[in-house]
PDB file of all heavy atoms in Angstrom:
ATOM      1  N   LEU A 256       6.297  -2.995   0.621  1.00  0.00           N
ATOM      2  CA  LEU A 256       6.691  -1.611   0.384  1.00  0.00           C
ATOM      3  C   LEU A 256       7.606  -1.137   1.496  1.00  0.00           C
ATOM      4  O   LEU A 256       7.328  -1.333   2.679  1.00  0.00           O
ATOM      5  CB  LEU A 256       5.450  -0.719   0.329  1.00  0.00           C
ATOM      6  CG  LEU A 256       4.625  -0.810  -0.944  1.00  0.00           C
ATOM      7  CD1 LEU A 256       3.327  -0.057  -0.765  1.00  0.00           C
ATOM      8  CD2 LEU A 256       5.390  -0.264  -2.114  1.00  0.00           C
ATOM      9  N   THR A 257       8.652  -0.486   1.130  1.00  0.00           N
ATOM     10  CA  THR A 257       9.534   0.139   2.104  1.00  0.00           C
ATOM     11  C   THR A 257       9.761   1.573   1.694  1.00  0.00           C
ATOM     12  O   THR A 257       9.561   1.944   0.540  1.00  0.00           O
ATOM     13  CB  THR A 257      10.891  -0.587   2.193  1.00  0.00           C
ATOM     14  OG1 THR A 257      11.530  -0.513   0.928  1.00  0.00           O
ATOM     15  CG2 THR A 257      10.719  -2.038   2.593  1.00  0.00           C
ATOM     16  N   ALA A 258      10.177   2.383   2.608  1.00  0.00           N
ATOM     17  CA  ALA A 258      10.358   3.793   2.306  1.00  0.00           C
ATOM     18  C   ALA A 258      11.646   4.281   2.921  1.00  0.00           C
ATOM     19  O   ALA A 258      12.122   3.748   3.926  1.00  0.00           O
ATOM     20  CB  ALA A 258       9.193   4.625   2.835  1.00  0.00           C
ATOM     21  N   ALA A 259      12.162   5.335   2.339  1.00  0.00           N
ATOM     22  CA  ALA A 259      13.392   5.909   2.848  1.00  0.00           C
ATOM     23  C   ALA A 259      13.124   6.852   4.001  1.00  0.00           C
ATOM     24  O   ALA A 259      14.009   7.162   4.780  1.00  0.00           O
ATOM     25  CB  ALA A 259      14.138   6.632   1.738  1.00  0.00           C
ATOM     26  N   GLY A 260      11.902   7.339   4.110  1.00  0.00           N
ATOM     27  CA  GLY A 260      11.567   8.274   5.170  1.00  0.00           C
ATOM     28  C   GLY A 260      10.331   7.838   5.906  1.00  0.00           C
ATOM     29  O   GLY A 260       9.679   6.866   5.550  1.00  0.00           O
ATOM     30  N   GLY A 261       9.935   8.548   6.951  1.00  0.00           N
ATOM     31  CA  GLY A 261       8.776   8.177   7.751  1.00  0.00           C
ATOM     32  C   GLY A 261       7.493   8.546   7.088  1.00  0.00           C
ATOM     33  O   GLY A 261       7.448   9.253   6.104  1.00  0.00           O
ATOM     34  N   CYS A 262       6.377   8.055   7.674  1.00  0.00           N
ATOM     35  CA  CYS A 262       5.072   8.284   7.075  1.00  0.00           C
ATOM     36  C   CYS A 262       4.578   9.688   7.299  1.00  0.00           C
ATOM     37  O   CYS A 262       3.728  10.173   6.593  1.00  0.00           O
ATOM     38  CB  CYS A 262       4.056   7.279   7.634  1.00  0.00           C
ATOM     39  SG  CYS A 262       4.263   5.652   6.950  1.00  0.00           S
ATOM     40  N   GLY A 263       5.004  10.336   8.245  1.00  0.00           N
ATOM     41  CA  GLY A 263       4.520  11.698   8.441  1.00  0.00           C
ATOM     42  C   GLY A 263       5.570  12.585   9.012  1.00  0.00           C
ATOM     43  O   GLY A 263       5.268  13.604   9.610  1.00  0.00           O
ATOM     44  N   GLY A 264       6.778  12.177   8.896  1.00  0.00           N
ATOM     45  CA  GLY A 264       7.847  12.965   9.469  1.00  0.00           C
ATOM     46  C   GLY A 264       8.031  12.684  10.942  1.00  0.00           C
ATOM     47  O   GLY A 264       8.835  13.310  11.608  1.00  0.00           O
ATOM     48  N   GLY A 265       7.251  11.766  11.527  1.00  0.00           N
ATOM     49  CA  GLY A 265       7.314  11.499  12.949  1.00  0.00           C
ATOM     50  C   GLY A 265       8.418  10.546  13.327  1.00  0.00           C
ATOM     51  O   GLY A 265       8.657  10.300  14.498  1.00  0.00           O
ATOM     52  N   GLY A 266       9.121   9.977  12.369  1.00  0.00           N
ATOM     53  CA  GLY A 266      10.180   9.047  12.716  1.00  0.00           C
ATOM     54  C   GLY A 266      10.861   8.550  11.465  1.00  0.00           C
ATOM     55  O   GLY A 266      10.350   8.686  10.373  1.00  0.00           O
ATOM     56  N   GLU A 267      12.046   8.040  11.661  1.00  0.00           N
ATOM     57  CA  GLU A 267      12.791   7.502  10.538  1.00  0.00           C
ATOM     58  C   GLU A 267      12.603   5.998  10.463  1.00  0.00           C
ATOM     59  O   GLU A 267      12.525   5.319  11.476  1.00  0.00           O
ATOM     60  CB  GLU A 267      14.284   7.837  10.695  1.00  0.00           C
ATOM     61  CG  GLU A 267      14.590   9.323  10.624  1.00  0.00           C
ATOM     62  CD  GLU A 267      14.265   9.910   9.272  1.00  0.00           C
ATOM     63  OE1 GLU A 267      14.374   9.178   8.276  1.00  0.00           O
ATOM     64  OE2 GLU A 267      13.877  11.090   9.212  1.00  0.00           O
ATOM     65  N   HIS A 268      12.511   5.481   9.237  1.00  0.00           N
ATOM     66  CA  HIS A 268      12.352   4.052   9.006  1.00  0.00           C
ATOM     67  C   HIS A 268      13.553   3.553   8.224  1.00  0.00           C
ATOM     68  O   HIS A 268      13.975   4.191   7.268  1.00  0.00           O
ATOM     69  CB  HIS A 268      11.070   3.754   8.212  1.00  0.00           C
ATOM     70  CG  HIS A 268       9.817   3.994   9.011  1.00  0.00           C
ATOM     71  ND1 HIS A 268       9.059   2.983   9.539  1.00  0.00           N
ATOM     72  CD2 HIS A 268       9.206   5.162   9.371  1.00  0.00           C
ATOM     73  CE1 HIS A 268       8.018   3.491  10.183  1.00  0.00           C
ATOM     74  NE2 HIS A 268       8.092   4.824  10.087  1.00  0.00           N
ATOM     75  N   GLY A 269      14.067   2.410   8.597  1.00  0.00           N
ATOM     76  CA  GLY A 269      15.141   1.811   7.822  1.00  0.00           C
ATOM     77  C   GLY A 269      14.592   1.230   6.534  1.00  0.00           C
ATOM     78  O   GLY A 269      13.401   0.939   6.415  1.00  0.00           O
ATOM     79  N   CYS A 270      15.478   1.017   5.571  1.00  0.00           N
ATOM     80  CA  CYS A 270      15.044   0.541   4.262  1.00  0.00           C
ATOM     81  C   CYS A 270      14.449  -0.848   4.333  1.00  0.00           C
ATOM     82  O   CYS A 270      13.727  -1.262   3.434  1.00  0.00           O
ATOM     83  CB  CYS A 270      16.219   0.544   3.286  1.00  0.00           C
ATOM     84  SG  CYS A 270      16.718   2.224   2.812  1.00  0.00           S
ATOM     85  N   ALA A 271      14.755  -1.628   5.349  1.00  0.00           N
ATOM     86  CA  ALA A 271      14.255  -2.998   5.428  1.00  0.00           C
ATOM     87  C   ALA A 271      12.936  -3.097   6.160  1.00  0.00           C
ATOM     88  O   ALA A 271      12.331  -4.165   6.220  1.00  0.00           O
ATOM     89  CB  ALA A 271      15.291  -3.901   6.108  1.00  0.00           C
ATOM     90  N   GLU A 272      12.457  -1.992   6.725  1.00  0.00           N
ATOM     91  CA  GLU A 272      11.217  -2.048   7.494  1.00  0.00           C
ATOM     92  C   GLU A 272      10.016  -2.022   6.559  1.00  0.00           C
ATOM     93  O   GLU A 272      10.016  -1.333   5.550  1.00  0.00           O
ATOM     94  CB  GLU A 272      11.133  -0.860   8.452  1.00  0.00           C
ATOM     95  CG  GLU A 272      12.219  -0.870   9.533  1.00  0.00           C
ATOM     96  CD  GLU A 272      12.026   0.310  10.483  1.00  0.00           C
ATOM     97  OE1 GLU A 272      10.878   0.558  10.869  1.00  0.00           O
ATOM     98  OE2 GLU A 272      13.021   0.962  10.822  1.00  0.00           O
ATOM     99  N   ASP A 273       8.943  -2.775   6.942  1.00  0.00           N
ATOM    100  CA  ASP A 273       7.702  -2.716   6.198  1.00  0.00           C
ATOM    101  C   ASP A 273       7.040  -1.365   6.388  1.00  0.00           C
ATOM    102  O   ASP A 273       6.984  -0.839   7.505  1.00  0.00           O
ATOM    103  CB  ASP A 273       6.739  -3.814   6.664  1.00  0.00           C
ATOM    104  CG  ASP A 273       7.194  -5.177   6.219  1.00  0.00           C
ATOM    105  OD1 ASP A 273       8.078  -5.232   5.347  1.00  0.00           O
ATOM    106  OD2 ASP A 273       6.672  -6.169   6.756  1.00  0.00           O
ATOM    107  N   LEU A 274       6.537  -0.821   5.336  1.00  0.00           N
ATOM    108  CA  LEU A 274       5.814   0.441   5.421  1.00  0.00           C
ATOM    109  C   LEU A 274       4.386   0.152   5.874  1.00  0.00           C
ATOM    110  O   LEU A 274       3.682  -0.624   5.236  1.00  0.00           O
ATOM    111  CB  LEU A 274       5.808   1.124   4.048  1.00  0.00           C
ATOM    112  CG  LEU A 274       5.180   2.508   4.014  1.00  0.00           C
ATOM    113  CD1 LEU A 274       6.028   3.482   4.817  1.00  0.00           C
ATOM    114  CD2 LEU A 274       5.057   2.980   2.582  1.00  0.00           C
ATOM    115  N   VAL A 275       3.960   0.767   6.934  1.00  0.00           N
ATOM    116  CA  VAL A 275       2.628   0.498   7.474  1.00  0.00           C
ATOM    117  C   VAL A 275       1.719   1.696   7.331  1.00  0.00           C
ATOM    118  O   VAL A 275       0.647   1.735   7.922  1.00  0.00           O
ATOM    119  CB  VAL A 275       2.731   0.077   8.963  1.00  0.00           C
ATOM    120  CG1 VAL A 275       3.468  -1.241   9.081  1.00  0.00           C
ATOM    121  CG2 VAL A 275       3.438   1.153   9.786  1.00  0.00           C
ATOM    122  N   CYS A 276       2.149   2.681   6.567  1.00  0.00           N
ATOM    123  CA  CYS A 276       1.314   3.869   6.385  1.00  0.00           C
ATOM    124  C   CYS A 276       0.068   3.519   5.585  1.00  0.00           C
ATOM    125  O   CYS A 276       0.106   2.710   4.678  1.00  0.00           O
ATOM    126  CB  CYS A 276       2.092   4.946   5.625  1.00  0.00           C
ATOM    127  SG  CYS A 276       3.764   5.176   6.206  1.00  0.00           S
ATOM    128  N   GLU A 277      -1.014   4.177   5.887  1.00  0.00           N
ATOM    129  CA  GLU A 277      -2.252   3.968   5.134  1.00  0.00           C
ATOM    130  C   GLU A 277      -2.264   4.920   3.948  1.00  0.00           C
ATOM    131  O   GLU A 277      -1.963   6.108   4.087  1.00  0.00           O
ATOM    132  CB  GLU A 277      -3.474   4.210   6.009  1.00  0.00           C
ATOM    133  CG  GLU A 277      -4.776   3.940   5.267  1.00  0.00           C
ATOM    134  CD  GLU A 277      -5.993   4.199   6.140  1.00  0.00           C
ATOM    135  OE1 GLU A 277      -5.881   4.961   7.095  1.00  0.00           O
ATOM    136  OE2 GLU A 277      -7.053   3.645   5.826  1.00  0.00           O
ATOM    137  N   ILE A 278      -2.602   4.391   2.784  1.00  0.00           N
ATOM    138  CA  ILE A 278      -2.713   5.195   1.566  1.00  0.00           C
ATOM    139  C   ILE A 278      -4.180   5.532   1.375  1.00  0.00           C
ATOM    140  O   ILE A 278      -5.053   4.661   1.452  1.00  0.00           O
ATOM    141  CB  ILE A 278      -2.181   4.431   0.348  1.00  0.00           C
ATOM    142  CG1 ILE A 278      -0.781   3.885   0.627  1.00  0.00           C
ATOM    143  CG2 ILE A 278      -2.180   5.324  -0.884  1.00  0.00           C
ATOM    144  CD1 ILE A 278       0.244   4.950   0.930  1.00  0.00           C
ATOM    145  N   VAL A 279      -4.448   6.793   1.121  1.00  0.00           N
ATOM    146  CA  VAL A 279      -5.830   7.253   0.994  1.00  0.00           C
ATOM    147  C   VAL A 279      -6.100   7.619  -0.456  1.00  0.00           C
ATOM    148  O   VAL A 279      -5.323   8.344  -1.083  1.00  0.00           O
ATOM    149  CB  VAL A 279      -6.098   8.461   1.904  1.00  0.00           C
ATOM    150  CG1 VAL A 279      -7.553   8.923   1.778  1.00  0.00           C
ATOM    151  CG2 VAL A 279      -5.770   8.121   3.345  1.00  0.00           C
ATOM    152  N   ASN A 280      -7.190   7.095  -1.015  1.00  0.00           N
ATOM    153  CA  ASN A 280      -7.586   7.394  -2.392  1.00  0.00           C
ATOM    154  C   ASN A 280      -8.126   8.804  -2.503  1.00  0.00           C
ATOM    155  O   ASN A 280      -8.452   9.462  -1.490  1.00  0.00           O
ATOM    156  CB  ASN A 280      -8.650   6.402  -2.864  1.00  0.00           C
ATOM    157  CG  ASN A 280      -8.108   4.992  -2.934  1.00  0.00           C
ATOM    158  OD1 ASN A 280      -7.020   4.769  -3.423  1.00  0.00           O
ATOM    159  ND2 ASN A 280      -8.887   4.039  -2.433  1.00  0.00           N
ATOM    160  N   ASP A 281      -8.244   9.278  -3.728  1.00  0.00           N
ATOM    161  CA  ASP A 281      -8.768  10.628  -3.956  1.00  0.00           C
ATOM    162  C   ASP A 281     -10.170  10.802  -3.417  1.00  0.00           C
ATOM    163  O   ASP A 281     -10.574  11.907  -3.054  1.00  0.00           O
ATOM    164  CB  ASP A 281      -8.756  10.946  -5.458  1.00  0.00           C
ATOM    165  CG  ASP A 281      -7.341  11.117  -5.980  1.00  0.00           C
ATOM    166  OD1 ASP A 281      -6.454  11.430  -5.174  1.00  0.00           O
ATOM    167  OD2 ASP A 281      -7.129  10.916  -7.188  1.00  0.00           O
ATOM    168  N   ASP A 282     -10.949   9.705  -3.388  1.00  0.00           N
ATOM    169  CA  ASP A 282     -12.322   9.813  -2.885  1.00  0.00           C
ATOM    170  C   ASP A 282     -12.403   9.626  -1.378  1.00  0.00           C
ATOM    171  O   ASP A 282     -13.497   9.517  -0.818  1.00  0.00           O
ATOM    172  CB  ASP A 282     -13.225   8.801  -3.598  1.00  0.00           C
ATOM    173  CG  ASP A 282     -12.771   7.362  -3.375  1.00  0.00           C
ATOM    174  OD1 ASP A 282     -11.792   7.146  -2.631  1.00  0.00           O
ATOM    175  OD2 ASP A 282     -13.403   6.455  -3.959  1.00  0.00           O
ATOM    176  N   GLY A 283     -11.252   9.576  -0.730  1.00  0.00           N
ATOM    177  CA  GLY A 283     -11.239   9.466   0.725  1.00  0.00           C
ATOM    178  C   GLY A 283     -11.246   8.047   1.255  1.00  0.00           C
ATOM    179  O   GLY A 283     -11.096   7.843   2.460  1.00  0.00           O
ATOM    180  N   THR A 284     -11.393   7.063   0.367  1.00  0.00           N
ATOM    181  CA  THR A 284     -11.393   5.670   0.830  1.00  0.00           C
ATOM    182  C   THR A 284      -9.967   5.177   1.002  1.00  0.00           C
ATOM    183  O   THR A 284      -9.017   5.719   0.432  1.00  0.00           O
ATOM    184  CB  THR A 284     -12.138   4.773  -0.164  1.00  0.00           C
ATOM    185  OG1 THR A 284     -11.475   4.859  -1.434  1.00  0.00           O
ATOM    186  CG2 THR A 284     -13.582   5.218  -0.320  1.00  0.00           C
ATOM    187  N   SER A 285      -9.829   4.154   1.790  1.00  0.00           N
ATOM    188  CA  SER A 285      -8.505   3.619   2.068  1.00  0.00           C
ATOM    189  C   SER A 285      -8.062   2.674   0.951  1.00  0.00           C
ATOM    190  O   SER A 285      -8.839   1.859   0.464  1.00  0.00           O
ATOM    191  CB  SER A 285      -8.515   2.858   3.397  1.00  0.00           C
ATOM    192  OG  SER A 285      -7.280   2.195   3.599  1.00  0.00           O
ATOM    193  N   ASN A 286      -6.812   2.820   0.578  1.00  0.00           N
ATOM    194  CA  ASN A 286      -6.195   1.889  -0.363  1.00  0.00           C
ATOM    195  C   ASN A 286      -5.262   0.928   0.380  1.00  0.00           C
ATOM    196  O   ASN A 286      -4.393   0.290  -0.227  1.00  0.00           O
ATOM    197  CB  ASN A 286      -5.406   2.649  -1.434  1.00  0.00           C
ATOM    198  CG  ASN A 286      -5.295   1.869  -2.742  1.00  0.00           C
ATOM    199  OD1 ASN A 286      -6.305   1.403  -3.252  1.00  0.00           O
ATOM    200  ND2 ASN A 286      -4.088   1.741  -3.265  1.00  0.00           N
ATOM    201  N   GLY A 287      -5.470   0.863   1.675  1.00  0.00           N
ATOM    202  CA  GLY A 287      -4.610  -0.004   2.472  1.00  0.00           C
ATOM    203  C   GLY A 287      -3.197   0.524   2.475  1.00  0.00           C
ATOM    204  O   GLY A 287      -2.967   1.737   2.618  1.00  0.00           O
ATOM    205  N   HIS A 288      -2.244  -0.344   2.325  1.00  0.00           N
ATOM    206  CA  HIS A 288      -0.834   0.048   2.272  1.00  0.00           C
ATOM    207  C   HIS A 288      -0.286  -0.112   0.852  1.00  0.00           C
ATOM    208  O   HIS A 288       0.908  -0.294   0.657  1.00  0.00           O
ATOM    209  CB  HIS A 288      -0.019  -0.811   3.238  1.00  0.00           C
ATOM    210  CG  HIS A 288      -0.601  -0.848   4.617  1.00  0.00           C
ATOM    211  ND1 HIS A 288      -0.851   0.287   5.349  1.00  0.00           N
ATOM    212  CD2 HIS A 288      -0.999  -1.885   5.396  1.00  0.00           C
ATOM    213  CE1 HIS A 288      -1.372  -0.028   6.525  1.00  0.00           C
ATOM    214  NE2 HIS A 288      -1.484  -1.357   6.578  1.00  0.00           N
ATOM    215  N   CYS A 289      -1.175  -0.034  -0.138  1.00  0.00           N
ATOM    216  CA  CYS A 289      -0.793  -0.264  -1.545  1.00  0.00           C
ATOM    217  C   CYS A 289      -0.551   1.057  -2.246  1.00  0.00           C
ATOM    218  O   CYS A 289      -1.491   1.843  -2.419  1.00  0.00           O
ATOM    219  CB  CYS A 289      -1.901  -1.043  -2.266  1.00  0.00           C
ATOM    220  SG  CYS A 289      -1.639  -1.190  -4.053  1.00  0.00           S
ATOM    221  N   TRP A 290       0.704   1.313  -2.605  1.00  0.00           N
ATOM    222  CA  TRP A 290       0.994   2.459  -3.468  1.00  0.00           C
ATOM    223  C   TRP A 290       0.940   1.953  -4.904  1.00  0.00           C
ATOM    224  O   TRP A 290       1.914   1.566  -5.513  1.00  0.00           O
ATOM    225  CB  TRP A 290       2.355   3.048  -3.137  1.00  0.00           C
ATOM    226  CG  TRP A 290       2.650   4.290  -3.921  1.00  0.00           C
ATOM    227  CD1 TRP A 290       3.536   4.424  -4.925  1.00  0.00           C
ATOM    228  CD2 TRP A 290       2.047   5.568  -3.766  1.00  0.00           C
ATOM    229  NE1 TRP A 290       3.527   5.687  -5.433  1.00  0.00           N
ATOM    230  CE2 TRP A 290       2.621   6.427  -4.731  1.00  0.00           C
ATOM    231  CE3 TRP A 290       1.057   6.079  -2.921  1.00  0.00           C
ATOM    232  CZ2 TRP A 290       2.247   7.758  -4.856  1.00  0.00           C
ATOM    233  CZ3 TRP A 290       0.705   7.405  -3.053  1.00  0.00           C
ATOM    234  CH2 TRP A 290       1.290   8.232  -4.014  1.00  0.00           C
ATOM    235  N   GLY A 291      -0.259   1.900  -5.440  1.00  0.00           N
ATOM    236  CA  GLY A 291      -0.534   1.344  -6.754  1.00  0.00           C
ATOM    237  C   GLY A 291      -2.035   1.222  -6.907  1.00  0.00           C
ATOM    238  O   GLY A 291      -2.801   1.920  -6.243  1.00  0.00           O
ATOM    239  N   ARG A 292      -2.475   0.312  -7.725  1.00  0.00           N
ATOM    240  CA  ARG A 292      -3.911   0.087  -7.885  1.00  0.00           C
ATOM    241  C   ARG A 292      -4.278  -1.265  -7.316  1.00  0.00           C
ATOM    242  O   ARG A 292      -3.650  -2.281  -7.635  1.00  0.00           O
ATOM    243  CB  ARG A 292      -4.329   0.146  -9.353  1.00  0.00           C
ATOM    244  CG  ARG A 292      -5.851  -0.031  -9.497  1.00  0.00           C
ATOM    245  CD  ARG A 292      -6.382   0.311 -10.838  1.00  0.00           C
ATOM    246  NE  ARG A 292      -7.851   0.231 -10.837  1.00  0.00           N
ATOM    247  CZ  ARG A 292      -8.624   0.433 -11.888  1.00  0.00           C
ATOM    248  NH1 ARG A 292      -8.075   0.729 -13.059  1.00  0.00           N
ATOM    249  NH2 ARG A 292      -9.942   0.346 -11.800  1.00  0.00           N
ATOM    250  N   CYS A 293      -5.298  -1.266  -6.480  1.00  0.00           N
ATOM    251  CA  CYS A 293      -5.820  -2.511  -5.945  1.00  0.00           C
ATOM    252  C   CYS A 293      -6.847  -3.075  -6.925  1.00  0.00           C
ATOM    253  O   CYS A 293      -7.782  -2.376  -7.326  1.00  0.00           O
ATOM    254  CB  CYS A 293      -6.465  -2.282  -4.576  1.00  0.00           C
ATOM    255  SG  CYS A 293      -5.259  -1.957  -3.267  1.00  0.00           S
ATOM    256  N   VAL A 294      -6.644  -4.320  -7.294  1.00  0.00           N
ATOM    257  CA  VAL A 294      -7.505  -4.955  -8.286  1.00  0.00           C
ATOM    258  C   VAL A 294      -7.991  -6.287  -7.738  1.00  0.00           C
ATOM    259  O   VAL A 294      -7.344  -6.896  -6.872  1.00  0.00           O
ATOM    260  CB  VAL A 294      -6.755  -5.168  -9.615  1.00  0.00           C
ATOM    261  CG1 VAL A 294      -6.296  -3.841 -10.206  1.00  0.00           C
ATOM    262  CG2 VAL A 294      -5.565  -6.093  -9.431  1.00  0.00           C
ATOM    263  N   PRO A 295      -9.136  -6.781  -8.238  1.00  0.00           N
ATOM    264  CA  PRO A 295      -9.646  -8.062  -7.744  1.00  0.00           C
ATOM    265  C   PRO A 295      -8.660  -9.203  -8.023  1.00  0.00           C
ATOM    266  O   PRO A 295      -8.096  -9.303  -9.108  1.00  0.00           O
ATOM    267  CB  PRO A 295     -10.949  -8.254  -8.530  1.00  0.00           C
ATOM    268  CG  PRO A 295     -11.347  -6.882  -8.970  1.00  0.00           C
ATOM    269  CD  PRO A 295     -10.069  -6.142  -9.190  1.00  0.00           C
ATOM    270  N   GLU A 296      -8.469 -10.017  -7.046  1.00  0.00           N
ATOM    271  CA  GLU A 296      -7.615 -11.187  -7.196  1.00  0.00           C
ATOM    272  C   GLU A 296      -8.373 -12.255  -7.982  1.00  0.00           C
ATOM    273  O   GLU A 296      -9.535 -12.536  -7.682  1.00  0.00           O
ATOM    274  CB  GLU A 296      -7.215 -11.717  -5.825  1.00  0.00           C
ATOM    275  CG  GLU A 296      -6.196 -12.831  -5.865  1.00  0.00           C
ATOM    276  CD  GLU A 296      -5.741 -13.216  -4.468  1.00  0.00           C
ATOM    277  OE1 GLU A 296      -6.488 -12.932  -3.514  1.00  0.00           O
ATOM    278  OE2 GLU A 296      -4.663 -13.794  -4.347  1.00  0.00           O
ATOM    279  N   PRO A 297      -7.772 -12.852  -9.001  1.00  0.00           N
ATOM    280  CA  PRO A 297      -8.499 -13.851  -9.793  1.00  0.00           C
ATOM    281  C   PRO A 297      -8.681 -15.139  -9.002  1.00  0.00           C
ATOM    282  O   PRO A 297      -7.908 -15.436  -8.077  1.00  0.00           O
ATOM    283  CB  PRO A 297      -7.582 -14.068 -10.995  1.00  0.00           C
ATOM    284  CG  PRO A 297      -6.220 -13.768 -10.485  1.00  0.00           C
ATOM    285  CD  PRO A 297      -6.396 -12.660  -9.485  1.00  0.00           C
ATOM    286  N   PRO A 298      -9.699 -15.907  -9.345  1.00  0.00           N
ATOM    287  CA  PRO A 298      -9.845 -17.225  -8.719  1.00  0.00           C
ATOM    288  C   PRO A 298      -8.598 -18.076  -8.956  1.00  0.00           C
ATOM    289  O   PRO A 298      -7.860 -17.878  -9.919  1.00  0.00           O
ATOM    290  CB  PRO A 298     -11.077 -17.815  -9.416  1.00  0.00           C
ATOM    291  CG  PRO A 298     -11.819 -16.638  -9.954  1.00  0.00           C
ATOM    292  CD  PRO A 298     -10.785 -15.610 -10.289  1.00  0.00           C
ATOM    293  N   GLU A 299      -8.391 -19.009  -8.064  1.00  0.00           N
ATOM    294  CA  GLU A 299      -7.200 -19.845  -8.154  1.00  0.00           C
ATOM    295  C   GLU A 299      -7.151 -20.570  -9.505  1.00  0.00           C
ATOM    296  O   GLU A 299      -8.135 -21.125  -9.978  1.00  0.00           O
ATOM    297  CB  GLU A 299      -7.204 -20.872  -7.011  1.00  0.00           C
ATOM    298  CG  GLU A 299      -5.933 -21.699  -6.947  1.00  0.00           C
ATOM    299  CD  GLU A 299      -5.909 -22.631  -5.750  1.00  0.00           C
ATOM    300  OE1 GLU A 299      -6.851 -22.562  -4.922  1.00  0.00           O
ATOM    301  OE2 GLU A 299      -4.970 -23.424  -5.643  1.00  0.00           O
ATOM    302  N   GLY A 300      -5.988 -20.529 -10.104  1.00  0.00           N
ATOM    303  CA  GLY A 300      -5.786 -21.207 -11.383  1.00  0.00           C
ATOM    304  C   GLY A 300      -6.064 -20.361 -12.600  1.00  0.00           C
ATOM    305  O   GLY A 300      -5.777 -20.782 -13.722  1.00  0.00           O
ATOM    306  N   LEU A 301      -6.636 -19.165 -12.402  1.00  0.00           N
ATOM    307  CA  LEU A 301      -6.919 -18.281 -13.539  1.00  0.00           C
ATOM    308  C   LEU A 301      -5.831 -17.219 -13.670  1.00  0.00           C
ATOM    309  O   LEU A 301      -5.133 -16.913 -12.693  1.00  0.00           O
ATOM    310  CB  LEU A 301      -8.291 -17.633 -13.384  1.00  0.00           C
ATOM    311  CG  LEU A 301      -9.485 -18.592 -13.480  1.00  0.00           C
ATOM    312  CD1 LEU A 301     -10.786 -17.823 -13.373  1.00  0.00           C
ATOM    313  CD2 LEU A 301      -9.452 -19.384 -14.791  1.00  0.00           C
ATOM    314  N   PRO A 302      -5.658 -16.627 -14.863  1.00  0.00           N
ATOM    315  CA  PRO A 302      -4.551 -15.689 -15.088  1.00  0.00           C
ATOM    316  C   PRO A 302      -4.609 -14.471 -14.173  1.00  0.00           C
ATOM    317  O   PRO A 302      -5.696 -13.960 -13.840  1.00  0.00           O
ATOM    318  CB  PRO A 302      -4.731 -15.291 -16.553  1.00  0.00           C
ATOM    319  CG  PRO A 302      -5.523 -16.397 -17.167  1.00  0.00           C
ATOM    320  CD  PRO A 302      -6.427 -16.889 -16.092  1.00  0.00           C
TER     321      PRO A 302
END
């Protein structure tokens, strides 16, 4: 994930920089740095 602006207005990030901001779910839990849905990874070889 990259962003055009900073995570809190505290600095500017270039388009090539990794976004390291923490994403917080509605229930207050961390979604890591995933702007999307975190889902279980399937076992190796499965769809």
